[in-house]
Structure formats: C-alpha cells, structure tokens
Amino acid sequence: MDEMLEDGEEAGAELLEWTVAADEAKARIDKYITDRLPEGISRSQVQQWISGGHVTVNEQPVKANHKLVEGEQVTVRVPDLSAVEIEPENIPLNIVYEDADVIVVNKARGMVVHPAAGHSSGTLVNALMHHCTDLSGINGELRPGIVHRIDKDTSGLLMAAKNDKAHASLSAQLKNHTVTRKYIALVHGNIEHDHGTIDAPIGRASQNRKMFTVTDRNGKRAVTHFAVTERFGDFTVAELRLETGRTHQIRVHMKFIEHPLVGDPMYGRVRAKASFVKGQALHAAILGFEHPTTGEYMEFEAPIPDDMEQELHALRNR
C-alpha cells in the first residue's frame, strides 16, 4: 500500500505504527486504523486483521471495539497478500533499459505501482511479473523487485531489481541519497525565484490521516530543490530534484510554498482542474544510479507525456 512505502525510500517495511494523540482518544481502533489506510481497504478488512492478531496496542492484542487512550502505541503488522492473489498480467510496459540486474520503466499516469489488499491487479508489479521471471524476492510476494515508487497519477521513470544483490545495492543508494531523481511539474502561480530549496519536515495530517503535510509533529526531514524552467504568469514549469523521498513529498512541498501542482486532486486548488492532465501534472523525467554490478553511473531520461505536452502547448498559445 502506498503509504507504507515512501517515494524513493527502500521498500521493505510491512509495519505501521502510530501514537494516539489527545484529539484521537476514545476513537474505536478499527475506525482509527481504517482512516489511516489507503482507499480500498475496508473497515471489515481491518477488523479481520485485529481478530487475526495483526494489531496490537502497547504490544497487547485488542478487540475491534477497543477505545483508544492518548499516548497508546498502535502497531499493525500488515499480512502479505497470498501468492494466488497476485498474478502476472500481460500489461504493456514502456521499458527504457533492462539487463540481468535491473529494469527501468517509464510508468504511465494512472498505473498503481504495487498491489495492496483490495487492489491486486492492473499494477506495475503484475506487469513486471509477466515480463520478468527473476525479480528480487526481498520484499516478498507483495512487492517483488520494487525498490521505490511514484504515485499512481505521476508518470515517469522507476527502477526495479531483478535479483537480491541488485536490490540491496539500489536500496543503499536511495538511503544514501546518491540516486538522481528529477521531476518536471506544472504548478499554479508565478514562482518568483529562479531556483531554491524547500527544507520542511513532512508527516501525516492530523485532520485527514490519508494526507500528508509539513509538520514538526512526527514529521521526517524532507528536502526538495527546484529550478524554474518556464513561466506563464499564473502558471510555472519547474524542475524538482528530490534529496529525500517522503510520501507525496513534491506535492506537499509545492502546496506548502503556495504553488500546488496543477490537477492535483488531493493537494491542489479547489475547482482548479487541468484541461488535459488527469491527475497531478508531475513527471519523473530523470533517473540516475550506479549499476549494482559494474558500478558505472547510468542516467535515463523520459520525455513528458502527451497530456502534459498538450497542457503546456495550450498555455504557450493562449
């Protein structure tokens, strides 16, 4: 599930943990957990996890009607989907590079990267499982080969590991911030500075736990560098380079500086929809890393998709 795997961070943890805040006390634990999970995971599914012993409070099992107390530690050990639930699917892939160790794909907008409970088909993992027979097994059945991810409605470059040695190498590079990740974004407003850095911690939003926000409360350090490439007065095109990789990092940071992504359904402006892009106008354009076996630095670039090109063409010719 997307919230368990931060954009650009190592894919591995199957553990979710929260500390109950004062304004969250007295909530039923099944509702509390459901509100913090991606869409597609129902309250009844969470209740099954609770009855199955996958949920603890202060390291003790509880019932679904347990009323939370401020300061309690909630832990969810998300069970893997069974092998039968995740089947290889013959879904076309735009493969940019492939060898015995790694595969780089240009993901289409609208494709989910990896399956989650309640959403086990049509994902990049399903497609990779059909195309490759040798994906890394470090992450188990749920996310074979996946080292990092990009959001469903973000297009662009993504790498996957085809063996465990490659997976370990790519994950270490991500943790050490040596992977090059550059995005192209169309945002609202006129960014005045030609370039700059947003260094602001990101954590879950208290009012909507499916969203993220800039916050010092349980926030993790997040750094995004930006450079303006084109201005249209009320819109700006920027190249954004990730130093860290938090969930929804670019989307949250651009909202924080009051230049949200055009078309972003979660962090964008109300009633301000893009004409051609369905989802946020964000594209992972450049991906660079050291090859896991040869040590050679490799960099790949994917042109912006047709829908973003149409959006920019309309702005240039209005």
Side-chain angles (χ1 to χ4, degrees):
M1 60 189 62
D2 290 355
E3 276 68 13
M4 292 164 50
L5 178 59
E6 294 176 330
D7 199 352
E9 293 290 319
E10 181 183 6
E14 299 291 347
L15 196 68
L16 296 173
E17 294 183 302
W18 302 284
T19 300
V20 179
D23 60 351
E24 299 166 337
K26 297 185 179 180
R28 278 179 55 122
I29 190 168
D30 54 352
K31 183 177 188 304
Y32 175 89
I33 293 172
T34 304
D35 288 345
R36 283 151 183 77
L37 297 176
E39 293 182 8
I41 301 179
S42 66
R43 190 165 171 177
S44 61
Q45 177 68 70
V46 171
Q47 290 170 350
Q48 290 179 27
W49 293 351
I50 294 171
S51 62
H54 298 286
V55 175
T56 59
V57 174
N58 293 342
E59 300 184 353
Q60 298 298 317
V62 293
K63 294 184 178 180
N65 62 356
H66 172 80
K67 296 292 183 68
L68 294 167
V69 176
E70 180 183 358
E72 285 185 325
Q73 187 75 19
V74 178
T75 302
V76 181
R77 291 172 175 81
V78 181
D80 284 343
L81 299 178
S82 66
V84 71
E85 287 183 282
I86 306 176
E87 296 290 345
E89 295 181 43
N90 188 10
I91 302 171
L93 286 173
N94 184 351
I95 299 172
V96 177
Y97 175 82
E98 182 179 11
D99 62 20
D101 295 301
V102 64
I103 180 170
V104 177
V105 299
N106 182 8
K107 185 188 81 69
R109 190 185 320 282
M111 174 180 271
V112 174
V113 170
H114 50 73
H119 191 111
S120 60
S121 65
T123 73
L124 180 63
V125 163
N126 296 105
L128 286 172
M129 288 176 67
H130 180 271
H131 178 79
C132 308
T133 59
D134 50 356
L135 291 172
S136 163
I138 285 179
N139 288 324
E141 295 165 348
L142 184 61
R143 293 194 292 259
I146 298 299
V147 183
H148 67 135
R149 71 162 183 86
I150 55 180
D151 292 332
K152 172 187 174 183
D153 289 327
T154 299
S155 59
L157 296 172
L158 188 82
M159 59 185 174
K162 297 180 70 175
N163 55 66
D164 291 354
K165 177 183 175 183
H167 197 129
S169 172
L170 295 174
S171 294
Q173 292 180 56
L174 284 162
K175 282 191 170 182
N176 294 331
H177 309 305
T178 59
V179 174
T180 301
R181 289 167 294 169
K182 293 182 180 179
Y183 292 70
I184 302 297
L186 176 64
V187 304
H188 287 282
N190 180 30
I191 300 179
E192 295 182 357
H193 301 287
D194 290 340
H195 53 81
T197 296
I198 308 165
D199 188 341
I202 291 176
R204 288 188 181 272
S206 60
Q207 300 302 314
N208 183 343
R209 302 293 291 183
K210 294 180 181 180
M211 295 180 66
F212 292 80
T213 188
V214 169
T215 177
D216 290 322
R217 180 173 171 264
N218 297 322
K220 296 181 180 180
R221 185 170 186 246
V223 181
T224 304
H225 306 280
F226 70 85
V228 171
T229 60
E230 198 168 1
R231 290 185 174 93
F232 302 106
D234 49 349
F235 297 96
T236 301
V237 179
E239 180 183 89
L240 302 137
R241 179 172 64 84
L242 288 178
E243 184 173 320
T244 58
R246 306 303 175 199
T247 304
H248 300 173
Q249 178 172 317
I250 288 174
R251 300 166 66 186
V252 172
H253 270 173
M254 297 314 290
K255 178 184 178 181
F256 176 66
I257 65 170
E258 299 182 350
H259 294 288
L261 297 180
V262 169
D264 191 330
M266 185 173 287
Y267 302 100
R269 293 181 176 173
V270 177
R271 294 186 298 277
K273 297 183 182 291
S275 299
F276 299 98
V277 178
K278 306 306 179 186
Q280 61 269 7
L282 183 64
H283 176 67
I286 296 176
L287 178 65
F289 54 89
E290 289 187 1
H291 190 275
T293 298
T294 68
E296 175 189 2
Y297 179 75
M298 309 175 72
E299 188 169 285
F300 305 94
E301 184 170 0
I304 62 173
D306 290 342
D307 57 358
M308 277 188 71
E309 189 62 63
Q310 287 180 287
E311 203 78 47
L312 295 179
H313 178 77
L315 288 171
R316 292 177 184 128
N317 292 278
R318 61 182 179 174

